[in-house]
């Protein structure tokens, strides 16, 4: 990059201030969160991620330095973005997986909804089957509410993902309703955020590896002391 194209020191500092503001907003949103999938927390997270990325780029362009921050997600697996420079529309694709771990709890919640909403008995059979109960609950509650209360409904969270795709123009009404989940163009994806227990497993593996390395280092130190004829001090012995 030529000197003329480099960001100024003031631009880098301004980007740092944006990160600080976004960090404060994220913490405030977390402190006020109303559930595991509070949309305010999610929005604040995205703002913080965007601010950190912008600052990182300016810092590198100006000073050839980088930050230690890494935003979790699967962006590294995405192809280069080839969508519009200034999108006029976007699509948000969300998938959340659940396991039905307590069927009786699920059926009981559906029966409560059925009793309150169908006093005339129009749907009296719906709450007696798992698929009928799911239809009742997802028809009564918003997906975000079910996500935040999934344990109450006898569900266990699995993987989830959110994709944001850019577009030049909004889709026409009803245009994609027949096939709403066709594979999107990966080059139109602006960003994506994934949640999976596999990430927790990776962290646990890293911690186990670190503990193993520490144990090996201590063992090596002990062997070196023995070879040198040194005696390790007894922690329980007190010199008088």
């Amino acid at each position: 990059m030529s000197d003329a194209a480099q960001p100024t020191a003031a631009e880098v500092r301004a980007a740092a201030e944006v990160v600080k503001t976004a960090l404060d907003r994220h913490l405030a949103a977390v402190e006020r969160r109303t559930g595991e999938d509070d949309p305010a927390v999610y929005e604040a997270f995205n703002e913080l991620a965007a601010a950190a990325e912008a600052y990182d780029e300016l810092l590198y362009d100006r000073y050839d330095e980088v930050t230690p921050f890494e935003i979790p997600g699967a962006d590294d697996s995405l192809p280069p973005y080839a969508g519009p420079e200034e999108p006029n529309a976007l699509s948000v694709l969300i998938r959340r997986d659940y396991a039905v771990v307590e069927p009786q709890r699920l059926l009981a919640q559906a029966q409560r909804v059925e009793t309150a909403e169908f006093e005339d008995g129009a749907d009296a059979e719906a709450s007696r089957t798992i698929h009928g109960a799911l239809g009742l609950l997802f028809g009564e509650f918003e997906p975000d509410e079910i996500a935040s209360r999934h344990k109450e409904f006898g569900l266990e969270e699995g993987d989830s993902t959110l994709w944001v795709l850019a577009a030049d123009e909004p889709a026409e009404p009803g245009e994609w309703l027949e096939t709403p989940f066709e594979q999107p163009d990966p080059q139109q994806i602006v960003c994506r955020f994934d949640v999976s227990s596999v990430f927790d497993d990776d962290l646990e593996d890293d911690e186990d590896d670190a503990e193993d390395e520490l144990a090996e280092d201590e063992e090596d130190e002990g062997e070196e002391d023995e070879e040198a004829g040194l005696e390790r001090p007894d922690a329980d012995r007190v010199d008088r």
Side-chain angles (χ1 to χ4, degrees):
M1 178 179 291
S2 66
D3 292 340
Q6 286 184 345
T8 65
E11 289 174 330
V12 178
R13 182 159 293 279
E17 293 299 324
V18 173
V19 174
K20 295 176 186 178
T21 300
L23 191 61
D24 288 338
R25 289 176 177 171
H26 181 261
L27 177 58
V30 170
E31 291 173 338
R32 298 192 303 265
R33 73 187 309 161
T34 58
E36 292 183 10
D37 292 317
D38 189 331
V41 175
Y42 209 92
E43 182 179 355
F45 173 90
N46 290 338
E47 290 178 358
L48 177 57
E53 183 178 1
Y55 170 64
D56 190 89
E57 291 179 357
L58 291 174
L59 187 71
Y60 182 80
D61 291 343
R62 176 69 185 182
Y63 299 109
D64 199 25
E65 289 289 344
V66 296
T67 66
F69 310 124
E70 181 178 355
I71 305 302
D75 292 336
D76 292 342
S77 65
L78 296 177
Y81 176 71
E85 288 290 333
E86 298 182 3
N88 296 313
L90 59 88
S91 295
V92 179
L93 308 183
I94 301 175
R95 172 174 172 169
R96 297 184 179 123
D97 282 5
Y98 298 94
V100 180
V101 293
E102 296 184 73
Q104 293 306 316
R105 182 182 292 271
L106 176 70
L107 294 171
Q109 290 283 11
Q111 287 166 5
R112 293 190 184 97
V113 171
E114 188 177 59
T115 300
E117 298 295 326
F118 303 102
E119 295 180 357
D120 59 356
D123 249 0
E125 301 294 326
S127 65
R128 297 184 183 180
T129 63
I130 297 298
H131 71 273
L134 289 170
L136 277 172
L137 293 175
F138 278 88
E140 177 69 14
F141 300 102
E142 293 291 334
D144 285 344
E145 184 173 1
I146 290 180
S148 65
R149 300 173 54 189
H150 63 278
K151 293 182 179 179
E152 296 179 34
F153 302 130
L155 304 176
E156 182 179 272
E157 288 183 311
D159 291 354
S160 66
T161 186
L162 181 148
W163 296 18
V164 180
L165 285 80
D168 287 309
E169 299 294 338
E172 294 293 329
E175 179 180 345
W176 49 260
L177 291 180
E178 291 186 2
T179 55
F181 303 114
E182 284 189 338
Q183 182 68 27
D185 182 355
Q187 291 189 306
Q188 299 291 104
I189 298 176
V190 177
C191 58
R192 61 177 288 181
F193 302 96
D194 300 328
V195 177
S196 174
S197 60
V198 71
F199 301 142
D200 298 332
D201 294 339
D202 290 341
L203 289 175
E204 291 175 359
D205 291 341
D206 291 341
E207 291 174 356
D208 292 341
D209 291 341
E211 291 176 357
D212 291 341
E213 290 177 3
L214 179 59
E216 290 176 1
D217 291 342
E218 292 177 347
E219 184 178 348
D220 292 341
E221 289 176 2
E223 292 175 354
E224 291 174 359
D225 289 345
E226 290 177 1
E227 290 175 359
L230 300 177
E231 181 182 353
R232 280 185 171 272
D234 190 342
D236 296 330
R237 185 176 62 196
V238 178
D239 294 332
R240 296 185 184 275

